Amino acid sequence: MLIGNADNGTIEFTVSASGKLTPLNEEIVVSPVSSRILEVYKKPGDSIFAGEPLLKLDLTSVETEYNQKLDEYEVLKSQEIQVRVNLENSLSELNMQLKLKEMQVKQLQADLESEKYLLSIGAGTEDKVRRAELNYEEAQLYYQQLVQKIENERKHAEAELQIKRLGLNIFERTLSERARLLKNARVLSPKTAILTFILDQIGTQISDGTQLAIISDLSSFKVECEIADGHREKISPGAKALISIGNIRQNGTIVSVTPSVTNGLINFTVIPEDSSHPGLRGGLSADVNIFYGIVDDVVRIPNSRFINLMEGDAFLWVIEGRKAVKRRVTLGKASFEYVEVIHGLKPGERVILSDMERYRNKNEVLIK
């Protein structure tokens, strides 16, 4: 029979959850392409190094597509070079015409000045001067049109080259992505650790995103927990917890809480203070008590498997001398160590913490 004393003290309220130990650090390797497994090099439990091959996929279609993209890229580069050469030739020809026209304008200006001089000394006529002026103005106008045409051609050339360069950049990114897929499709280990899972059925057809392997660091662990959704307000990242795994007890901290609810349960993750404790093993079950509040200077009694099932008004057996008397008490919140007594007990009184269900029809019993 388990007996405990009522006293005054502090209670840190807790709520209980169940959990399971999983590796603190692990990486899931997924297939980046749709393919088929050709060879498997490792098995679960093997120690592997970063960059070590795990399995081989059929990359024939991926390599063929990549080579086709390379050929397309070379064609696009050639087209871009051809457009550049054509535009440069066109601008060069226009600039040559501009130089010739500039020379012609200067010559016509000189002719106009000459006709004006001849007119001033009586050796020329007004008609010749007007004709020279018209020729000069016409040449100037054509020159200005040519300057504008060259400017327009230059802008058009820059725009067309920009479009070609943009197309090349987009294709380069596509090609780079294909190269990355080809590299990743070789399925190498991303880290030095332990292989805890691998898809080892040779010939299996897989789609992109299929889980191929799990690489786990088994030197440290976390606790993946679940609890009824009704306790959601008591669970939050940063909250403290007590983890019990057999005889091992460790403090821990909640690091994440999933927002979704599955079958009335929410999931959260707790990291132990000593996540590398030698007694921790993947797959072990854990009892987790989450601290969510604290009260000071209250009447409390030790918690037990039987007391933990009670809440609100309940009957407890209080020891009075050599007998135990059934008494109605009001219990409040609890921690894994203590239960708050709101009414019915005083500090110093002793109560039975064991199951007394077989005496439910009695009001007092003798203690031997």
Side-chain angles (χ1 to χ4, degrees):
M1 183 169 60
L2 188 61
I3 297 174
N5 294 327
D7 65 0
N8 276 99
T10 298
I11 299 180
E12 289 187 271
F13 299 137
T14 61
V15 61
S16 299
S18 59
K20 183 168 288 188
L21 284 172
T22 62
L24 180 60
N25 299 304
E26 63 181 12
E27 268 192 62
I28 297 175
V29 180
V30 299
S31 175
V33 295
S34 296
S35 184
R36 181 169 62 93
I37 297 176
L38 294 181
E39 298 177 22
V40 178
Y41 305 124
K42 300 294 179 179
K43 62 182 183 297
D46 285 351
S47 297
I48 52 178
F49 297 96
E52 196 170 0
L54 302 177
L55 47 80
K56 181 180 180 181
L57 299 179
D58 183 0
L59 302 179
T60 304
S61 61
V62 180
E63 289 174 341
T64 300
E65 185 179 2
Y66 178 69
N67 290 330
Q68 288 175 345
K69 294 293 182 183
L70 276 176
D71 292 340
E72 292 177 30
Y73 179 68
E74 291 302 322
V75 170
L76 285 176
K77 282 179 65 177
S78 297
Q79 290 176 350
E80 192 262 350
I81 293 172
Q82 186 63 46
V83 168
R84 185 187 300 275
V85 170
N86 291 340
L87 292 173
E88 287 176 352
N89 288 339
S90 177
L91 285 172
S92 177
E93 183 179 342
L94 288 172
N95 282 319
M96 183 61 68
Q97 292 179 22
L98 185 66
K99 288 182 179 179
L100 291 174
K101 183 55 64 176
E102 184 180 12
M103 293 170 63
Q104 184 180 2
V105 168
K106 288 180 179 179
Q107 180 59 49
L108 290 172
Q109 184 181 19
D111 291 346
L112 175 60
E113 294 299 326
S114 177
E115 290 295 336
K116 286 181 178 180
Y117 173 74
L118 291 173
L119 180 63
S120 66
I121 62 175
T125 65
E126 292 284 347
D127 287 341
K128 289 184 178 181
V129 172
R130 282 195 299 271
R131 193 179 303 113
E133 285 178 343
L134 287 174
N135 290 337
Y136 174 65
E137 290 173 359
E138 182 181 2
Q140 271 193 320
L141 182 60
Y142 187 83
Y143 178 82
Q144 291 170 0
Q145 289 176 338
L146 198 55
V147 169
Q148 187 61 49
K149 183 178 180 180
I150 291 174
E151 181 63 23
N152 293 340
E153 283 290 327
R154 183 178 291 108
K155 290 180 179 179
H156 173 73
E158 290 176 354
E160 191 165 351
L161 283 173
Q162 182 66 24
I163 292 172
K164 289 294 182 181
R165 281 194 293 267
L166 182 60
L168 274 174
N169 290 339
I170 293 173
F171 205 90
E172 282 174 354
R173 288 196 292 270
T174 302
L175 198 60
S176 177
E177 177 64 17
R178 293 294 175 184
R180 186 188 65 81
L181 287 177
L182 190 60
K183 179 182 178 182
N184 292 344
R186 303 191 188 282
V187 194
L188 308 178
S189 174
K191 60 192 299 183
T192 299
I194 304 296
L195 181 67
T196 52
F197 166 80
I198 189 167
L199 190 60
D200 57 2
Q201 296 175 331
I202 294 176
T204 300
Q205 293 287 342
I206 56 174
S207 57
D208 59 305
T210 300
Q211 180 175 295
L212 298 178
I214 299 178
I215 317 298
S216 304
D217 179 359
L218 300 184
S219 63
S220 55
F221 295 87
K222 60 187 175 183
V223 186
E224 298 290 352
C225 308
E226 60 181 19
I227 196 170
D229 183 46
H231 296 295
R232 175 179 291 275
E233 73 282 355
K234 301 171 185 174
I235 309 297
S236 61
K240 299 302 179 182
L242 180 68
I243 304 166
S244 300
I245 306 165
N247 295 325
I248 300 173
R249 280 194 172 186
Q250 275 203 47
N251 293 321
T253 303
I254 296 178
V255 293
S256 64
V257 180
T258 57
S260 58
V261 179
T262 305
N263 297 325
L265 299 173
I266 57 174
N267 297 295
F268 61 98
T269 303
V270 179
I271 303 293
E273 271 188 353
D274 183 6
S275 60
S276 301
H277 189 284
L280 302 184
R281 295 287 186 275
L284 291 179
S285 297
D287 295 320
V288 181
N289 290 281
I290 301 95
F291 297 94
Y292 67 93
I294 186 170
V295 290
D296 296 314
D297 195 25
V298 295
V299 179
R300 64 185 187 180
I301 58 173
N303 204 346
S304 69
R305 186 182 299 244
F306 171 64
I307 298 296
N308 194 48
L309 299 175
M310 299 180 178
E311 188 174 358
D313 291 337
F315 287 100
L316 291 182
W317 292 84
V318 182
I319 297 177
E320 297 179 0
R322 296 187 59 187
K323 62 182 180 180
V325 179
K326 186 163 61 175
R327 185 187 301 177
R328 181 184 292 274
V329 300
T330 303
L331 301 179
K333 296 178 180 179
S335 71
F336 67 96
E337 288 183 305
Y338 297 102
V339 177
E340 178 187 15
V341 181
I342 298 174
H343 178 74
L345 283 178
K346 297 178 181 178
E349 291 189 295
R350 302 168 69 210
V351 297
I352 296 175
L353 305 177
S354 304
D355 186 2
M356 297 288 283
E357 178 62 20
R358 58 179 172 169
Y359 302 110
R360 64 181 180 276
N361 295 324
K362 298 181 179 296
N363 290 321
E364 61 180 53
V365 295
L366 292 175
I367 299 177
K368 294 183 180 180

